[in-house]
Amino acid sequence: MSDLPPTLTYPPAIEHAIAQISQLLRGDYPLSYRTLALLLLQDDPEIWEEVQAQESPATLAQIRALKEQLEREGGMPLGWQIEQERQRWSQQIAAQVTQITSPPRPHTVAEWVGWLCMNPWTGFPILALVLYFGLYQFVGVFGAGTVVELIEEGLFGAYINPFVERLVRATVPWQPIQELLVGEYGVWTLGVTYAVALILPIVTFFFLVFAILEDTGYLPRLAMLVDRAFKGLGLNGRAVIPIVLGFGCDTMATVVTRVLETRRERIIATLLLTLTIPCSAQLGVVLALLASYPLGLAIWAGILVVVFLLAGWLAAQILPGRAMPFYMEIPPMRLPSLSNVLLKTVARLQWYFLEVLPLFLIASVLIWIGQLTGLFELALRVLQPLVQVLGLPAETGVAFLFGFFRRDYGAAGLYDLHKRGLLSGNDLLITAVILTLFVPCVAQFLVTIKERGWRTALGMFVIAMSVAFGVGFVLSRALTVLGVHIG
Amino acid sequence: MATETKRQGRAQRGTRRKPTVLIAGNPNVGKSMLFHKLTGRYVTVSNYPGTTVEVLRGQMRWRGQEFEVIDAPGMYSLIPITEEERVARRILLHDKPDLVLHVIDAKNLARMLPLTAQLIEMGIPVVVVLNMMDELERAGLSIQVEALQQQLGVPVVPTVCLTGQGINNLKELIYERLAANPDLSARD
């Protein structure tokens, strides 16, 4: 096959290698020697195999030597260099032949809305509205407030749990087993009740919102909107999906970090989820706790944003590698289809139940063992000095300990303490900040081990602990020194 | 099964082979729409041997001449990442099309041209189908087709596959390239 004069010329060193490889090749191939040489330089396994079948070992060794030499000289991988040249060439031609005839304007209402979502000036206010109505009002106030109250206090608290408790106490003779099943932290009273009556409704509402955002085409636009900011955190727009999902359930979001391309991105995203993103259950309880302290709520949110940005930025500096370029097809904006939204919500709930419910049950059993063996007492005693340094009442240690088993449970424990008048507004704020930054719940921790491995998971555990108490300490001192009382 | 399909293919090729046109390009640029506009009703869908990737083949008739048209799976580059891209490359290399139609989204010219460059480099005759010209116009842009043709050194045909605009020009060009010239073994 005759080679035409090339359309696109690569940097001299690469062209030289192409010429030399073309000279060396003897076999019969269904593509030009030029393409063949380029594919060999880019290390295409299928092509190498084909060439190995037709060329002598000496030729192969020479080609390999050429490639290695080029790589040493160029610094960057050859595939990247070649691709870079193609992009440059394409952009140059496109710029030469394309003319702007009129300013680009969206034509339909849907296109307008889509454009507004991506434009930074309008996009961030829209994001704020989506967060306020979608997350705060719908999931937080309605889902975690109204609906949970109905199901947890109404259905479970008044009818189901007393019945189950009576049944167990009547049929199971041994007291520790009774405790295991229906005790304060029992498999039924804590595990099942929490999963079904508290987390399920909250997560259902969240998944509903998430599916609607997904189906309207808002999420890809959000990804484009925050892409630049995320680049500074070593991530790119694609990470929007796990991060937003984290507001529903960090455990699920940790699994979903699989959509990210590199190990580096997955580690950064997992760290941010572990450290800063409150899950919907936790968010619900914290919002309820701080609802009467607007200043406290603002400080809490501000601290989370700062820690989020700082942790991401630091991780991006420390971990080797760089942010990956991000391409995404932007689908048209449209009204969501009800069946699609319901289907996705149900599918996610199904996943949630199969993956997460067993972990709740394990957590209940662990607490039971902890209480039975006195390990709990020991852990509380270890936490005691920490709590004292923070200037908090001793009882908050229990909240921290349980916070590890269920993030929201820790916060719910605070709710009790607050009602009993043991916590001031400042104490509440400090504890809420620590609990949010604090180690993930057992479920998330187990999933992190599964996805990232033991060492990384343990590292994150230690980082989260240190950051949570460090920030708590600084906040506690700052509030005292500045004389701030949030309520 | 797989080998049988292959043998049949070879046998057909051994006798009088119809000129073959391959439609290549990124996903979502209107390849399948173009395929249907070119071929009309006679279409067969089969899995590429050994894969789950579907490949559409159909017949195009123009001025009494028959052409075989293959709709390759979407590909972003000649270096395959997905199974679809692997199949698309295999078809490019081993089905020996006489002409490749590279369908591109006119609005995203700069993103599409790297693949054009790679196809031209391969040494197969390439025609660039500049599709979605209507959307380009709506985006407030225009492309000088003549200048693009000169830069690339291959024919460029503007189309709107959705409405069928430019399809007859394309068919005419395919005919000129492949059938007007009785020597079809341009590639062998």
Side-chain angles (χ1 to χ4, degrees):
Chain A
M1 189 188 301
S2 65
D3 280 8
L4 298 156
T7 327
L8 156 61
T9 26
Y10 296 94
I14 294 177
E15 281 295 337
H16 182 67
I18 294 173
Q20 281 189 302
I21 294 174
S22 304
Q23 295 255 306
L24 289 167
L25 294 171
R26 293 280 174 273
D28 178 29
Y29 302 100
L31 69 174
S32 69
Y33 279 168
R34 186 175 175 79
T35 298
L36 202 57
L38 280 164
L39 288 170
L40 289 173
L41 289 175
Q42 290 169 89
D43 239 346
D44 187 283
E46 224 170 291
I47 298 296
W48 267 105
E49 232 169 76
E50 214 156 306
V51 172
Q52 266 156 0
Q54 295 203 42
E55 307 292 340
S56 69
T59 306
L60 292 168
Q62 271 175 294
I63 296 174
R64 231 174 245 126
L66 272 167
K67 185 176 93 64
E68 275 157 21
Q69 192 194 340
L70 258 184
E71 255 161 13
R72 266 198 309 278
E73 286 164 4
M76 294 306 250
L78 279 176
W80 188 83
Q81 288 185 39
I82 290 169
E83 196 46 44
Q84 200 69 4
E85 191 53 36
R86 286 189 186 130
Q87 303 275 355
R88 203 193 53 72
W89 175 84
S90 302
Q91 269 154 15
Q92 198 188 333
I93 291 186
Q96 272 173 20
V97 302
T98 311
Q99 284 173 325
I100 298 171
T101 45
S102 61
R105 245 178 309 129
H107 270 243
T108 61
V109 177
E111 278 174 15
W112 256 108
V113 174
W115 182 79
L116 290 175
C117 290
M118 279 195 289
N119 181 317
W121 292 104
T122 46
F124 284 106
I126 290 175
L127 174 61
L129 286 179
V130 168
L131 290 179
Y132 179 77
F133 286 104
L135 215 58
Y136 180 73
Q137 287 294 344
F138 189 64
V139 180
V141 175
F142 182 66
T146 318
V147 176
V148 165
E149 208 163 296
L150 264 173
I151 298 181
E152 198 195 10
E153 286 174 22
L155 189 64
F156 272 79
Y159 301 102
I160 299 180
N161 282 2
F163 169 77
V164 174
E165 216 176 314
R166 251 179 295 139
L167 189 75
V168 170
R169 299 231 187 259
T171 49
V172 180
W174 203 37
Q175 207 243 335
I177 296 294
Q178 286 181 3
E179 283 301 307
L180 173 65
L181 294 175
V182 296
E184 199 180 348
Y185 313 108
V187 170
W188 179 270
T189 29
L190 181 78
V192 178
T193 307
Y194 262 74
V196 177
L198 185 73
I199 313 297
L200 181 66
I202 297 176
V203 171
T204 306
F205 279 92
F206 178 82
F207 286 158
L208 212 55
V209 172
F210 192 77
I212 291 172
L213 291 181
E214 215 179 14
D215 222 43
T216 51
Y218 180 72
L219 279 186
R221 286 173 174 79
L222 179 60
M224 295 311 286
L225 180 70
V226 302
D227 181 49
R228 183 170 296 187
F230 271 28
K231 287 262 165 67
L233 311 180
L235 299 169
N236 64 30
R238 189 164 303 161
V240 153
I241 294 163
I243 298 287
V244 172
L245 206 52
F247 284 103
C249 170
D250 282 304
T251 308
M252 181 185 222
T254 306
V255 175
V256 172
T257 54
R258 283 179 201 164
V259 302
L260 303 178
E261 286 160 293
T262 60
R263 195 179 124 77
R264 176 174 185 265
E265 287 173 289
R266 290 194 282 263
I267 290 180
I268 296 175
T270 310
L271 176 68
L272 292 177
L273 288 170
T274 304
L275 197 58
T276 56
I277 306 294
C279 66
S280 52
Q282 190 183 26
L283 200 60
V285 185
V286 168
L287 289 179
L289 272 174
L290 291 175
S292 42
Y293 308 103
L295 179 64
L297 199 58
I299 296 175
W300 173 79
I303 289 175
L304 286 192
V305 171
V306 170
V307 174
F308 179 84
L309 295 176
L310 213 60
W313 182 78
L314 272 176
Q317 303 304 311
I318 292 165
L319 290 170
R322 51 200 183 91
M324 301 297 284
F326 170 57
Y327 305 100
M328 192 182 242
E329 307 262 5
I330 302 285
M333 276 304 244
R334 51 173 184 191
L335 287 175
S337 104
L338 184 66
S339 65
N340 237 350
V341 167
L342 292 181
L343 214 68
K344 280 182 193 169
T345 309
V346 169
R348 293 208 170 98
L349 283 174
Q350 222 167 15
W351 176 90
Y352 181 81
F353 245 72
L354 290 178
E355 293 278 316
V356 176
L357 185 64
L359 296 173
F360 275 87
L361 301 183
I362 293 172
S364 301
V365 174
L366 287 179
I367 296 182
W368 176 73
I369 294 173
Q371 283 195 318
L372 217 62
T373 56
L375 274 175
F376 246 47
E377 287 297 309
L378 195 72
L380 276 180
R381 233 173 296 148
V382 172
L383 277 171
Q384 219 47 257
L386 261 177
V387 174
Q388 265 161 13
V389 169
L390 292 166
L392 298 171
E395 285 86 349
T396 46
V398 184
F400 291 135
L401 194 57
F402 288 148
F404 174 59
F405 289 97
R406 288 287 332 140
R407 281 184 168 200
D408 55 286
Y409 187 75
L414 286 186
Y415 199 68
D416 275 353
L417 293 177
H418 184 52
K419 269 202 289 206
R420 280 155 53 196
L422 285 168
L423 290 176
S424 69
N426 281 9
D427 292 344
L428 208 55
L429 170 61
I430 296 165
T431 331
V433 167
I434 295 175
L435 266 178
T436 315
L437 296 175
F438 198 53
V439 292
C441 69
V442 168
Q444 190 186 351
F445 187 59
L446 292 178
V447 166
T448 306
I449 293 172
K450 209 170 98 192
E451 296 287 315
R452 296 291 96 81
W454 257 109
R455 283 178 42 198
T456 313
L458 263 178
M460 284 185 191
F461 187 96
V462 172
I463 292 173
M465 279 291 254
S466 330
V467 172
F469 285 104
V471 170
F473 180 72
V474 172
L475 177 66
S476 147
R477 284 297 127 102
L479 290 175
T480 317
V481 170
L482 298 174
V484 178
H485 292 282
I486 65 158
Chain B
M1 266 274 288
T3 50
E4 200 174 272
T5 326
K6 227 183 211 165
R7 225 181 293 127
Q8 273 176 358
R10 289 249 167 79
Q12 261 174 16
R13 208 169 290 166
T15 59
R16 239 179 110 250
R17 187 195 171 196
K18 264 181 250 164
T20 307
V21 177
L22 179 72
I23 303 177
N26 283 27
N28 303 321
V29 291
K31 277 194 315 298
S32 297
M33 192 111 58
L34 176 66
F35 175 80
H36 288 293
K37 289 277 181 213
L38 289 181
T39 55
R41 277 172 297 166
Y42 307 102
V43 172
T44 56
V45 182
S46 61
N47 280 358
Y48 194 80
T51 68
T52 54
V53 179
E54 280 181 350
V55 177
L56 273 65
R57 286 162 201 272
Q59 311 298 321
M60 169 184 132
R61 275 183 87 77
W62 188 250
R63 296 181 183 235
Q65 169 74 44
E66 287 223 328
F67 301 85
E68 164 133 329
V69 183
I70 309 173
D71 184 14
M75 66 195 300
Y76 289 99
S77 147
L78 212 51
I79 303 262
I81 295 170
T82 62
E83 182 79 3
E84 272 87 12
E85 288 184 297
R86 208 159 284 129
V87 168
R89 184 168 90 173
R90 258 181 232 163
I91 297 174
L92 261 173
L93 295 188
H94 303 298
D95 279 42
K96 304 201 177 215
D98 299 293
L99 187 66
V100 174
L101 303 179
H102 182 207
V103 188
I104 66 182
D105 172 359
K107 308 190 293 304
N108 292 309
L109 189 61
R111 256 173 51 201
M112 305 278 145
L113 287 178
L115 183 58
T116 317
Q118 292 173 71
L119 291 171
I120 295 173
E121 270 167 8
M122 282 183 72
I124 313 174
V126 175
V127 169
V128 171
V129 179
L130 200 55
N131 194 27
M132 304 186 176
M133 288 300 278
D134 54 335
E135 290 183 17
L136 177 79
E137 219 169 285
R138 260 198 286 155
L141 298 169
S142 76
I143 290 175
Q144 296 161 280
V145 175
E146 197 61 41
L148 180 61
Q149 203 157 266
Q150 250 166 29
Q151 292 275 4
L152 298 175
V154 300
V156 177
V157 182
T159 59
V160 182
C161 287
L162 196 66
T163 61
Q165 200 184 312
I167 297 293
N168 283 353
N169 290 345
L170 183 61
K171 285 182 177 173
E172 187 59 36
L173 184 75
I174 296 170
Y175 178 82
E176 271 171 29
R177 289 269 146 160
L178 300 182
N181 171 11
D183 176 27
L184 290 179
S185 54
R187 266 175 53 75
D188 298 305

